[in-house]
Amino acid sequence: MNVMTKIVETKAEPAIRMHEIDLSLGSGASRVHILKKLSLDIPRGLAVGLVGPSGSGKTTLLMTAAGLERPDTGEIHIAGENITHYSEDKLAQFRGRNIGIVFQSFHLIPTLTARENVAIPMELAGADDAFQRAEAELQAVGLGHRLNHYPGQLSGGEQQRVAIARALAPRPAIVVADEPTGNLDEATGREIISLLFRLKRERGTTLLLITHDMGLAESCDRVVRIRAGQIVEQRDLLGAAE
């Protein structure tokens, strides 16, 4: 099945649907209008590279798609659910089940081991087998031999692998990643991207990826360009990551 066929087949029920999103941040004279009547559909199972100049609204778009920012107006549908008016508790529960998040900075807790960093969020969400799942996920990202190491004992690439394991452990339908190689050297960054694409492919997840690297963006199935809070271009590619 080629990428264009997948886009047609999944268009009726996208993984992420953002409709007429307006969002401003700040207050008073410092309030900034960031997203402006922005609409975007991301089909299930695709890798989408989000690009644009600094200050264009990329990260705000990604955070809104992940349920971490609330729009002033418009609607957001994620994995078939309209989350626009969810309470904070319901939104947190939904996000924990459906959305994995990978940041440029690894956001690991320094006093917890790799296994604990992956397991604790699942345990707090009520999973009975959190530590077993954490070990399996760390094995999947090539860190089965580093389960009991602390972040300070791991390289940058290893820390990002732990962060990816943590994001993927709940088996989310959607993974969003904000410059996941930004703090890594080029070779390590390539390894991390290869890992993300492989896990996305194996699990059928939808991947929304912010990057400044056009080569990386064009390894995705679709490139979305944003400027001044609006989508200015969408291009469907051959899906080199596939």
Side-chain angles (χ1 to χ4, degrees):
M1 179 185 298
N2 63 38
V3 173
M4 292 306 295
T5 301
K6 286 193 293 185
I7 291 171
V8 170
E9 290 180 353
T10 56
K11 187 176 181 181
E13 191 179 4
I16 300 171
R17 169 164 287 167
M18 306 175 74
H19 179 68
E20 294 285 301
I21 298 297
D22 254 81
L23 189 150
S24 298
L25 296 176
S27 59
S30 63
R31 190 166 178 81
V32 180
H33 192 186
I34 299 177
L35 301 182
K36 304 166 185 176
K37 298 297 181 185
L38 182 147
S39 294
L40 176 66
D41 282 2
I42 297 179
R44 293 173 185 257
L46 292 194
V48 175
L50 181 61
V51 300
S54 296
S56 60
K58 298 187 302 296
T59 295
T60 302
L61 187 160
L62 183 138
M63 293 296 102
T64 305
L68 292 169
E69 293 284 1
R70 287 186 180 273
D72 301 320
T73 60
E75 288 194 348
I76 302 177
H77 296 250
I78 305 293
E81 293 191 36
N82 185 342
I83 68 168
T84 310
H85 302 296
Y86 278 6
S87 68
E88 290 297 333
D89 286 346
K90 187 173 182 180
L91 189 56
Q93 292 170 359
F94 175 86
R95 191 166 52 241
R97 293 192 311 270
N98 293 281
I99 304 171
I101 305 173
V102 181
F103 296 101
Q104 177 176 337
S105 299
F106 317 124
H107 294 301
L108 301 179
I109 299 174
T111 56
L112 299 181
T113 65
R115 176 164 38 196
E116 290 167 340
N117 265 284
V118 176
I120 294 302
M122 289 189 290
E123 192 171 53
L124 291 174
D128 295 328
D129 58 347
F131 281 85
Q132 292 90 334
R133 287 166 63 184
E135 184 169 342
E137 290 297 336
L138 288 165
Q139 293 278 1
V141 299
L143 289 181
H145 62 301
R146 306 287 263 173
L147 301 176
N148 297 313
H149 287 69
Y150 293 91
Q153 298 172 309
L154 302 174
S155 69
E158 288 172 330
Q159 290 185 63
Q160 192 62 297
R161 286 172 182 264
V162 174
I164 291 170
R166 180 181 58 194
L168 292 175
R171 294 299 175 110
I174 297 160
V175 173
V176 299
D178 188 358
E179 295 280 5
T181 63
N183 286 335
L184 305 175
D185 62 73
E186 184 176 353
T188 304
R190 284 197 301 267
E191 292 176 1
I192 291 299
I193 289 301
S194 178
L195 173 65
L196 266 176
F197 279 140
R198 175 175 65 80
L199 293 171
K200 171 260 177 196
R201 189 167 58 244
E202 291 173 355
R203 301 181 184 194
T205 54
T206 303
L207 175 63
L208 176 59
L209 170 72
I210 290 179
T211 181
H212 283 98
D213 182 344
M214 280 306 301
L216 171 55
E218 291 179 352
S219 294
C220 296
D221 302 303
R222 177 178 292 180
V223 175
V224 174
R225 186 179 300 276
I226 183 172
R227 182 180 296 120
Q230 297 178 311
I231 303 298
V232 296
E233 180 187 17
Q234 296 191 57
R235 286 190 291 132
D236 293 321
L237 305 171
L238 295 178
E242 297 293 326

